[in-house]
Amino acid sequence: MSKVWVLGHGQLGAMLQHAAMPLDVDVVPVDIDSGELPDLQSEDVVTAERELWPQTPVTDALANHPNFINLHIFGRLADRYTQKQLLDDLGLKTAPWKLVDADLTESQIFSEIGERALMKRRTGGYDGKGQFWLRQSEDSKIPADWRNEAIVEQGIDFDEEMAIVGVRDRKGKKFFYPLTLTLQLNGVLTASVAPLARLQKLQAKAESMLGKLLDELDYVGVMAMECFRVGDELIVNELAPRVHNTAHWTQAGASVSQFESHVRAVAGMPLAQPQVKGLNVMINLLGTERDERWWAISGAEPYWYGKGVREGRKVGHINFTHSGDDKLIQGLDELKALLPERYEEVIDWVESAVAEA
Ligand code: ATP
Ligand code: MG
């Protein structure tokens, strides 16, 4: 049986491996700094759990394999400049933006983009890192070392944030998960809820937007598209060519999780429309110590990544699937009592999203 090698050995690689077990597909996450080269066979395939990687002996070996799926798409999407160009070329709406080159002035930004503008480093940003707000009211200046390294985009006064995850097979067949409402605090995904009946009217639009991208790129596997909702409009925030945190709930709440969908697609196995089981909630564990009492909450499905705990670091998540009774709120209340105080607003946000679902 051929293997699926994953460039990277973080939690996403581990979750791909976990999901592949019932498929009897051997998924092997690879530490890019390992001194040992992977024993690649010609019939194996290679995928990645990250968009960008340094050149190391291991990444060189993987990138030279002829079956590295989507290889040339990673670099194109990892650079916000080329990602925005792609979105523009396909007529997909994004926040109005510009490249921060050597000549761009602050007054040009404020007059052409708006008086609140967000600079984002072209590469390497995540969890809100690599961002810098420019505000006309504060007479903000572009730091010299951001020139040629960043784009700048309009600050969007959005109603809420959401994401859609889709999967495409080698022949171009596509399936989508429902739009997922997300809560970002300090630029970091903290909780998500799906599906919501009130977002159903945006589903077809979101699917056609992401579908257009998947087809244009001849993409194989799972991709995520993060959006801002402004009224009935979806504005694309960013794309991720990989399994994505906003769809971790699919482990508990879908007949085929995003991880299994990705493995099936890259391994050339059949895909199917994932059936969604009830209403789903995911809460990210950020910089929180492991607490065994989470496992005693009825309905909770904790997933602990086994990483060292550092402030703000993603160390696990907890899924809940709602089967139509009041157990979900009960479980969330129990969890609230066990998490640090800063989670109060997170659980309140989740509970109000659930109440109007
Ligand atoms: P990720 O961890 O998802 O990769 P990131 O650090 O790459 O995140 P973005 O997703 O671009 O960066 O931004 C993080 C968050 O910052 C968004 O989820 C949103 O809350 C806020 N944000 C980003 N762009 C804008 C914008 N143009 N206007 C207003 N808020 C924004
Ligand atoms: Mg994001």
Side-chain angles (χ1 to χ4, degrees):
M1 186 78 183
S2 57
K3 285 192 164 94
V4 176
W5 300 90
V6 183
L7 188 157
H9 73 315
Q11 66 263 20
L12 298 179
M15 290 191 270
L16 287 166
Q17 186 176 42
H18 173 210
M21 252 168 223
L23 308 177
D24 192 25
V25 171
D26 197 3
V27 169
V28 190
V30 184
D31 176 357
I32 63 169
D33 295 316
S34 166
E36 205 182 311
L37 291 181
D39 181 22
L40 300 169
Q41 302 299 312
S42 60
E43 69 278 12
D44 291 350
V45 298
V46 181
T47 185
E49 60 151 26
R50 50 193 283 170
E51 291 104 276
L52 201 65
W53 50 84
Q55 212 182 344
T56 68
V58 168
T59 60
D60 274 346
L62 293 171
N64 282 321
H65 195 283
N67 296 339
F68 195 137
I69 315 283
N70 306 321
L71 178 62
H72 300 291
I73 298 170
F74 288 97
R76 192 165 170 200
L77 297 188
D79 182 341
R80 288 187 190 271
Y81 179 45
T82 47
Q83 185 184 123
K84 288 275 198 194
Q85 284 176 321
L86 171 68
L87 291 164
D88 283 358
D89 289 346
L90 294 181
L92 300 175
K93 195 171 167 76
T94 69
W97 66 279
K98 277 185 171 302
L99 179 66
V100 182
D101 60 17
D103 305 320
L104 186 70
T105 63
E106 289 80 1
S107 63
Q108 261 175 303
I109 292 174
F110 298 133
S111 67
E112 292 169 36
I113 288 206
E115 53 195 31
R116 264 176 78 239
L118 183 56
M119 282 200 300
K120 296 181 177 178
R121 309 273 319 176
R122 284 175 58 173
T123 57
Y126 68 100
D127 289 350
K129 294 178 181 68
Q131 300 195 353
F132 188 98
W133 280 97
L134 296 172
R135 293 187 178 83
Q136 191 163 27
S137 60
E138 293 169 10
D139 199 21
S140 315
K141 301 285 182 224
I142 304 169
D145 59 348
W146 283 65
R147 291 199 181 270
N148 297 314
E149 300 288 338
I151 56 137
V152 60
E153 63 183 42
Q154 189 177 84
I156 302 292
D157 198 9
F158 51 79
D159 294 312
E160 53 193 9
E161 291 189 77
M162 57 198 58
I164 182 165
V165 165
V167 61
R168 184 176 182 276
D169 74 11
R170 294 176 186 178
K171 293 195 185 123
K173 204 164 173 47
K174 302 183 286 294
F175 295 99
F176 298 90
Y177 292 91
L179 272 165
T180 299
L181 188 68
T182 61
L183 173 67
Q184 266 78 214
L185 292 179
N186 305 314
V188 186
L189 178 75
T190 307
S192 61
V193 180
L196 294 175
R198 65 181 180 79
L199 300 184
Q200 185 55 39
K201 63 174 188 227
L202 296 172
Q203 183 72 23
K205 189 189 296 193
E207 289 185 8
S208 93
M209 292 165 75
L210 179 54
K212 209 169 173 181
L213 280 155
L214 294 171
D215 287 338
E216 166 70 18
L217 296 169
D218 196 18
Y219 188 85
V220 175
V222 162
M223 183 185 288
M225 180 177 85
E226 295 178 18
C227 296
F228 303 127
R229 181 180 72 77
V230 180
D232 280 340
E233 192 162 49
L234 289 177
I235 297 174
V236 181
N237 172 30
E238 61 168 354
L239 306 169
R242 54 171 170 77
V243 289
H244 196 255
N245 198 171
T246 50
H248 285 6
W249 63 264
T250 62
Q251 289 174 320
S255 54
V256 188
S257 74
Q258 64 160 343
F259 301 100
E260 185 174 334
S261 284
H262 186 73
V263 174
R264 288 194 201 182
V266 299
M269 287 180 61
L271 296 180
Q273 176 60 50
Q275 297 296 319
V276 175
K277 311 167 189 174
L279 176 62
N280 298 281
V281 168
M282 185 229 50
I283 294 168
N284 262 348
L285 298 165
L286 302 165
T288 24
E289 293 297 334
R290 177 185 169 111
D291 187 337
E292 301 259 324
R293 290 174 298 177
W294 297 328
W295 277 269
I297 300 174
S298 173
E301 299 190 31
Y303 203 120
W304 185 252
Y305 305 154
K307 306 198 295 192
V309 179
R310 284 201 304 267
E311 199 190 322
R313 189 178 201 201
K314 287 177 182 170
V315 288
H317 66 270
I318 302 183
N319 287 328
F320 286 90
T321 294
H322 186 26
S323 51
D325 48 31
D326 56 11
K327 291 239 173 61
L328 176 62
I329 299 294
Q330 213 173 300
L332 289 167
D333 283 342
E334 281 177 49
L335 181 62
K336 195 201 281 196
L338 299 178
L339 288 175
E341 215 178 298
R342 62 176 188 279
Y343 271 90
E344 202 156 313
E345 67 168 305
V346 178
I347 307 277
D348 289 349
W349 177 90
V350 168
E351 290 185 351
S352 70
V354 164
E356 54 166 20

